[in-house]
Every structure is written in structure tokens, then in C-alpha cells.
Amino acid sequence: MIEFSSEYLRGVVERLEALGSHPQGFRVAGTREEREATAFIAGEMRSLGLEDVTEEPVPVDGWRLEEAFVELADGTRFDCASFGGVPETGKKGISGELVAVGRGGRRQLDRLDVRGKVALVEWQLARLWPYHVGLELGLRGASAMIVYSPPGGPFYQAPGALGTFDGIWHAEGPPCVTATKEDGARLAARIGEQVRVVLRAPLARGAEAANVVGELRGRRAGAPAIVAGHHDGWFGAAFDDATGVAVTLELARAFTEAGIRPERTIAFVSHTAEEYGIAESAYD
């Protein structure tokens, strides 16, 4: 009889959720937080009795979010996040006049002078991704951009929701932070004022991440069945994909505890770089 443990599932999720480079989470491929996660997962696999447990090295571009905010001249700050792979500003940040560019299409930008300014971008349409707007803004000389999805927009519509995504950022794009729809509206009321954008998120090209693999040996030779989740993640939360890793480990725990020997080997895997792993690429 196979029995599953909700306590074990919760314990794995809580352990992974606690790992992050930022107060709101972020255990991204190639960072020390991600390697803490792989060490934990590998240790669990060994303790559960899986065989040939390995942390397989994976070369990646590691992007590590440390801090992100927008500051007004009076010192008011708005907490922000950013997209994976976006270039950082450094601790000093980038200051400039705040200019509203709407959705940031070419028609909107052709009517504006954004050179040396901080662009406030409304993510109105799912198909017009911020990296497209970032390329246009960068080529037109904008120094930084702030993105928010206004009411009715395609993402981040829950109250106070702060968003992120894979950046797929062009090399010519400026530093960019994301704001909540509420803070975006507050910033829209301060157009023409000086603001400071701070994004501390170093990019380590050629960093090392890892997949974790452990096997439950089968009775016959042949290609294994694979059960897998990914341990890297953006914000701290159970979803995407701490729950997937927890289920992977719990299946391994339940099977080994029940003494099951499958016909085919089962490879239990926790993999890296689902969220981010290659800079300046559509396949990040």
C-alpha cells in the first residue's frame, strides 16, 4: 500500500520557498540560492534511498535580483521587481525626468522625446511584450523604463500584484523595473518630475547551475520513465514550481517506503533554468 504525506510535501515547499536573493523570493539558475536548493534536493534523494544521485552541472547565464525600486524627489519609494536578464543600474541608480509613453508602440514614441528620460510603460497588450518596447526605447536614448500592467491589462491584475517574467531582453534595451498597477497609477500622476530607478541585479555569464537526478532501479533494462519538476523560481511561492519538486520527492519517498521496484527504472529529476538561463535570447 502506498501512502502519501501532506506534511512532507509542505516541508519541501516551505524549504524551497525560504530560499531567495530578494525579500520577495527569486532563486534563479546559476545563483547561490539555486545551488542551496539543489544541495537540499540531492540530500533528500539520498536519504530516501534513491541510487546514483547526481547534481549535474549546467552552464547558464545567472541573473540575481537583489534590489529594485523607484524613488521620487521627495524620498517616496515604490517597491519594484524586474524581468530576468534585464541589465542593472547599480546601487546609485539612474535618475531622469519621468515621461509617459502609453503602451510604447512606435506611433506613441514617434511623438515623444525620450532621450535621457525614464519611460513609464503601460503593458496593455499581451502580444506587445516589454522587451520589444525596451528595444525601441533603448535605440531612442531612454535611460530606464518602468513597466506596469494597468487595470484590464494582460498580467498582474490582483490587488498589489508585482510581476516578473523571462526578460528575453535585447542588448540595446535599458534597465527596467516592474511596478504594481496601483503604483503605476501613482507614478502616472508624477509625469514630468525627476525620479530615480534602482535595479541591483548582476548578470554572471557562464555561471554554473545544476539538475538533480536520482534513480529508483527497475527490474528490466531500458530507457527510464522520468518524473520531474524545476527548482528555480521567481517570486517566493508554492507554485512554479516548488510544488512540482515536492511531488517528485514525495513520489520517490512513498515508492521507496512501500518497497516498490518498478518494471522500468524511474528517474526522479529536479531541473534548472526553466525560468531563465541565457542572456539576450528568445530561448532564455
Side-chain angles (χ1 to χ4, degrees), residues 174-206:
C176 171
V177 296
T178 60
T180 67
K181 68 180 187 297
E182 293 87 355
D183 287 344
R186 295 181 184 105
L187 287 166
R190 311 297 285 264
I191 296 302
E193 297 185 17
Q194 291 288 308
V195 299
R196 183 168 72 105
V197 177
V198 174
L199 172 61
R200 293 197 299 125
L203 176 64
R205 297 178 186 269

Side-chain angles (χ1 to χ4, degrees), residues 62-74:
W63 182 83
R64 186 170 188 267
L65 179 64
E66 298 176 359
E67 185 178 38
F69 63 86
V70 175
E71 185 177 65
L72 302 179
D74 62 9

Side-chain angles (χ1 to χ4, degrees), residues 240-272:
D240 202 12
D241 190 29
T243 48
V245 177
V247 169
T248 299
L249 290 175
E250 172 57 13
L251 285 170
R253 189 205 63 78
F255 285 11
T256 55
E257 185 176 89
I260 291 175
R261 189 182 180 197
E263 181 173 343
R264 295 169 57 189
T265 294
I266 301 175
F268 293 93
V269 180
S270 183
H271 62 87
T272 188

